[in-house]
């Protein structure tokens, strides 16, 4: 009996960072279109090159979700698969995964495939992948694993902070004057994900210290963080991520805080210096 954990590339986890003798990890990449250049969000993608290309491109950039066939190929590699996708309210990836499941089951009706909408991205998906790995390695049954993961997903939260607004401006989601003003004043936008997987702007803060304090307050108000695991994804901002980690450990009774770099998809949205917190 073989097991497979499948995720789209918004999870920020590299395949080289997943280690298990019992479970295979399959990453299904999204694609990023910047002008005439296409970036595949795989482990070889250069975040620095992506950021430089986006900065030099005057027109709006775009993303494309994986094809159903790509998911089907991933599901065919094991008897049982658990799949996580970026929020269905932000991307068509969840729908593509569902169609990929149907394609795989047409050819292999004996396979078991569970698809879970993370209603988030980045660190929250890393936490789901870790929990799935633990449950599988512990020998739990397929249906029980899926049920526990759905409960865990509902308990997870995501928030993020931005200080670069170029992509929002180019895509028409923020007026240029507002973006320039926020940047010049050193103001950070702080937002979180709703239970439905949409984005809610929670506030703004000026300066790093106030930003990090606002984030820890938001985390405390959103759930009981006692014993929680936290994953901070940073976009070319390791220093800021480590400072935020210090604030979280000082202010909240969390179990652990891990810091990882953004992949391509989260870089596309967070932009340089952005921080995404899954907990």
């Amino acid at each position: 009996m073989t097991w497979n954990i499948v995720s789209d590339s918004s999870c920020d986890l590299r395949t080289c960072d997943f280690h298990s003798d019992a479970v295979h990890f399959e990453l299904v990449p999204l694609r990023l279109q910047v002008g005439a250049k296409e970036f595949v969000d795989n482990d070889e993608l250069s975040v620095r090159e992506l950021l430089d290309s986006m900065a030099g491109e005057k027109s709006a950039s775009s993303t494309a979700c994986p094809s159903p066939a790509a998911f089907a190929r991933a599901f065919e590699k094991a008897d049982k698969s658990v799949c996580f996708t970026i929020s269905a309210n932000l991307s068509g990836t969840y729908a593509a995964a569902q169609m990929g499941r149907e394609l795989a089951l047409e050819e292999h009706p004996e396979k078991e495939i569970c698809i879970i909408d993370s209603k988030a991205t980045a660190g929250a998906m890393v936490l789901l992948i870790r929990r799935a790995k633990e449950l599988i390695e512990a020998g739990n049954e397929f249906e029980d694993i899926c049920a526990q993961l759905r409960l865990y997903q509902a308990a997870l939260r995501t928030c993020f902070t931005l200080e670069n607004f170029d992509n929002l401006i180019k895509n028409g989601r923020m007026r240029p004057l507002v973006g320039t003003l926020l940047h010049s004043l050193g103001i950070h936008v702080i937002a979180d994900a709703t239970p439905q997987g949409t984005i809610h702007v929670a506030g703004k803060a000026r300066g790093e210290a106030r930003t990090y304090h606002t984030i820890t307050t938001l985390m405390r108000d959103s759930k009981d963080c006692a014993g929680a695991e936290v994953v901070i994804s940073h976009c070319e901002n390791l220093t800021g991520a480590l400072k935020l980690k210090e604030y979280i450990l000082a202010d909240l009774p969390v179990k652990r805080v891990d810091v990882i770099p953004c992949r391509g998809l989260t870089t596309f949205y967070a932009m340089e210096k952005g921080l995404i917190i899954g907990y």
Side-chain angles (χ1 to χ4, degrees):
M1 189 66 64
T2 56
W3 283 87
N4 198 10
I5 296 176
V6 179
S7 174
D8 67 58
S9 59
S10 69
C11 70
D12 281 341
L13 188 68
R14 271 72 177 172
T15 53
C16 61
D17 295 324
F18 184 94
H19 307 285
S20 175
D21 293 329
V23 190
H24 173 71
F25 178 57
E26 185 79 11
L27 193 77
V28 183
L30 286 93
R31 295 175 181 272
L32 314 167
Q33 191 71 39
V34 182
K37 190 167 187 178
E38 182 182 72
F39 293 83
V40 179
D41 192 12
N42 55 27
D43 287 355
E44 286 72 50
L45 180 141
S46 167
V47 166
R48 183 70 264 164
E49 184 182 351
L50 173 62
L51 285 168
D52 290 343
S53 294
M54 292 173 67
E57 178 58 45
K58 293 183 179 180
S59 61
S61 302
S62 61
T63 65
C65 65
S67 68
F71 279 107
R73 288 192 294 269
F75 298 146
E76 289 170 354
K77 294 182 179 180
D79 300 313
K80 300 175 186 290
S81 293
V82 178
C83 175
F84 305 106
T85 72
I86 186 174
S87 172
N89 279 312
L90 299 177
S91 169
T93 302
Y94 177 73
Q98 290 280 27
M99 288 191 290
R101 178 180 183 274
E102 296 306 313
L103 290 174
L105 291 177
E106 284 180 7
E107 296 294 326
H108 306 279
E110 75 284 356
K111 292 187 181 296
E112 295 183 277
I113 304 168
C114 171
I115 301 173
I116 295 177
D117 176 1
S118 74
K119 298 184 180 177
T121 186
M125 293 176 69
V126 174
L127 293 172
L128 281 164
I129 290 166
R130 288 180 180 173
R131 180 61 61 89
K133 176 177 173 287
E134 292 170 359
L135 292 170
I136 293 168
E137 291 179 339
N140 291 276
E141 295 295 325
F142 181 79
E143 291 299 332
D144 185 49
I145 289 172
C146 297
Q148 289 193 54
L149 288 171
R150 289 191 174 96
L151 288 174
Y152 186 53
Q153 178 280 316
L156 291 174
R157 299 290 183 270
T158 297
C159 63
F160 60 91
T161 178
L162 305 180
E163 57 179 281
N164 185 313
F165 312 102
D166 289 351
N167 202 27
L168 293 176
I169 294 170
K170 289 176 183 177
N171 283 278
R173 296 184 180 183
M174 179 180 286
R175 288 185 292 125
L177 180 60
V178 173
T180 301
L181 182 62
L182 290 173
H183 185 73
S184 64
L185 293 176
I187 294 176
H188 301 228
V189 171
I190 300 159
D192 57 6
T194 68
Q196 294 75 36
T198 57
I199 294 173
H200 163 254
V201 176
K204 302 178 182 68
R206 187 173 184 178
E208 284 189 348
R210 288 185 180 179
T211 298
Y212 299 155
H213 177 69
T214 301
I215 289 172
T216 58
T217 300
L218 175 63
M219 292 173 68
R220 181 187 297 110
D221 292 344
S222 68
K223 66 181 280 187
D224 179 2
C225 291
E229 295 187 25
V230 182
V231 175
I232 302 172
S233 297
H234 71 90
C235 184
E236 301 287 270
N237 189 12
L238 179 59
T239 300
L242 292 175
K243 287 182 181 178
L244 175 58
K245 176 179 179 177
E246 292 178 3
Y247 273 78
I248 292 172
L249 290 173
D251 293 351
L252 301 171
V254 300
K255 180 181 178 181
R256 59 186 281 193
V257 179
D258 294 324
V259 173
I260 61 175
C262 286
R263 296 179 60 96
L265 193 282
T266 48
T267 291
F268 181 88
Y269 287 110
M271 295 298 294
E272 191 158 8
K273 302 297 184 182
L275 300 172
I276 308 172
I277 306 95
Y279 60 102

